[in-house]
């Protein structure tokens, strides 16, 4: 039985419906975001140590990086 | 978005001596849809459910320790998997050690230690070199790497930021693999994440349609008024505005 395709192995094709230009006056490309903007709308992939909980790590990140809103996506249980 | 699967490297400790060939054989059998009931210590309802093992790659074995890599659906208990492999082998087994190497789009290679993140952050505060922040912070769009995408024109962005349904005229391009009822990400032409939507039709249908709803907003990601308001509240409002002018 052939093995299933993992979500990160899924190949997608691009379908083009129409073309248009984007106004440089509004918005900002993710690669061009300033450090402050990145810290506001970013994600950090943390290699978490075994002891503390995800919640504690999120609280540390909030404190060390001085960010208002920090959430976590989950962790391994012991 | 972390619901897009996980990958782990695991050490399974066998409770008996089994030839390597038998172990690799049984592990291959689990490369399939399996049944699992969440353990006592879990936050989910303890009902029997199916989970898909995308791949189970045996790496090596030493004595009674077997090392393997496994890619699986989110919510798969590797501890239970090891126990069940032990049952099939007959001797019994338990999960000795586990390390998650992938959570959706986030991989081990891109992970940073808290210590390093704190260091780079302090360096940035001193030197103001933006490159330092980029060493450990990724744009939030990275979290959407595995979600199928739909790119929209500037004039449709603000409406979506207000929770309006995404309609066909706003769509410029899209990826294949969107099915009716599945999630997709709305991006601006600059590649910014606008919102997460639930598709009302498939990719192929979206491509053909020239009017109508293609998706309903589930979560807005971009702040309102980032792009100009190009939408009207309704006919009555239009008339009122015309009168005032």
């Amino acid at each position: 039985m052939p093995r299933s395709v993992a979500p990160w192995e899924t190949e997608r094709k691009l379908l083009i419906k129409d073309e248009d230009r984007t106004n440089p006056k509004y918005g900002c490309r993710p690669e061009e975001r300033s450090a402050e903007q990145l810290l506001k709308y970013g994600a950090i992939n943390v290699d978490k140590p075994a002891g503390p909980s995800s919640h504690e790590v999120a609280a540390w990140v909030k404190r060390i990086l001085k960010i208002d809103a920090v959430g976590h996506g989950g962790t391994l249980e012991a | 978005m972390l619901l897009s699967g996980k990958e782990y490297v695991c050490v399974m400790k066998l409770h008996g001596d089994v030839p390597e060939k038998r172990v690799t054989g049984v592990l291959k059998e689990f490369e399939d849809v399996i049944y699992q009931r969440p353990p006592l210590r879990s936050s989910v309802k303890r009902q029997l459910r199916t989970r898909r093992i995308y791949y189970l790659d045996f790496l090596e074995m030493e004595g009674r320790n077997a090392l393997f890599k496994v890619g699986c659906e989110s919510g798969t208990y590797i501890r239970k998997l090891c126990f069940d492999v032990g049952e099939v082998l007959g001797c019994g087994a338990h999960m000795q050690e586990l390390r998650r190497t992938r959570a959706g789009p986030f991989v081990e290679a891109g992970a940073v230690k808290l210590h390093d993140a704190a260091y780079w952050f302090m360096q940035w505060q001193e030197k103001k070199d933006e490159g330092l922040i980029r060493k450990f912070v990724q744009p939030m769009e990275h979290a959407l790497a595995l979600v199928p995408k739909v790119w929209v024109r500037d004039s449709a962005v603000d409406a979506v930021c207000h929770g309006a349904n995404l309609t066909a005229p706003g769509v410029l391009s899209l990826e294949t693999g969107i099915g009716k009822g599945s999630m997709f990400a709305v991006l601006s032409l600059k590649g910014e994440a606008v919102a997460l939507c639930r598709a009302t039709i498939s990719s192929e249908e979206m491509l053909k349609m020239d009017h109508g709803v293609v998706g309903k907003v589930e979560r807005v990601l971009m702040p309102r008024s980032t792009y100009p308001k190009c939408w009207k509240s309704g006919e009555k409002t239009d008339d009122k505005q015309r009168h005032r002018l």
Side-chain angles (χ1 to χ4, degrees), chain B residues 53-161:
Chain B
I53 305 296
Y54 305 120
Y55 52 86
L56 218 169
D57 300 333
F58 171 84
L59 295 172
E60 62 181 88
M61 198 160 139
E62 194 180 272
R64 291 187 180 183
N65 289 316
L67 182 74
F68 65 85
K69 184 179 257 195
V70 55
C72 57
E73 198 181 327
S74 289
T76 306
Y77 289 89
I78 305 301
R79 187 182 289 282
K80 186 66 167 73
L81 176 72
C82 290
F83 177 86
D84 290 343
V85 169
E87 294 292 278
V88 175
L89 284 171
C91 57
H94 69 268
M95 183 179 84
Q96 180 69 22
E97 205 178 316
L98 190 72
R99 182 167 169 84
R100 188 164 69 193
T101 52
R102 180 191 265 278
F106 298 102
V107 293
E108 189 178 21
V112 294
K113 296 280 199 294
L114 259 184
H115 187 93
D116 295 327
Y119 174 73
W120 284 320
F121 181 74
M122 286 191 281
Q123 286 281 294
W124 170 72
Q125 285 189 306
E126 273 179 48
K127 298 180 184 169
K128 293 296 172 195
D129 176 6
E130 307 262 294
L132 289 161
I133 290 289
R134 264 175 255 280
K135 270 173 123 63
F136 66 101
V137 184
Q138 268 129 321
M140 63 163 169
E141 284 77 6
H142 181 73
L144 304 173
L146 303 180
V147 180
K149 299 167 188 55
V150 175
W151 286 266
V152 300
R153 52 182 95 243
D154 285 6
S155 54
V157 175
D158 196 52
V160 175
C161 288

Side-chain angles (χ1 to χ4, degrees), chain A residues 17-64:
Chain A
K17 192 169 180 206
D18 199 354
E19 306 244 323
D20 202 353
R21 283 178 304 193
T22 181
N23 193 329
K25 233 169 85 178
Y26 310 109
C28 174
R29 280 173 219 281
E31 323 81 71
E32 290 164 19
R33 274 181 199 140
S34 68
E36 284 87 0
Q37 281 180 309
L38 253 186
L39 286 169
K40 203 175 174 196
Y41 299 108
I44 307 176
N45 183 358
V46 177
D47 184 347
K48 187 188 82 66
S53 70
S54 297
H55 187 262
E56 285 178 283
V57 171
W60 281 346
V61 169
K62 194 169 167 175
R63 184 166 57 88
I64 297 167

Side-chain angles (χ1 to χ4, degrees), chain B residues 166-182:
Chain B
L166 179 63
T167 57
V171 176
L172 290 171
S173 55
L174 62 147
E175 288 181 324
T176 51
I178 302 173
K180 181 178 173 179
S182 68

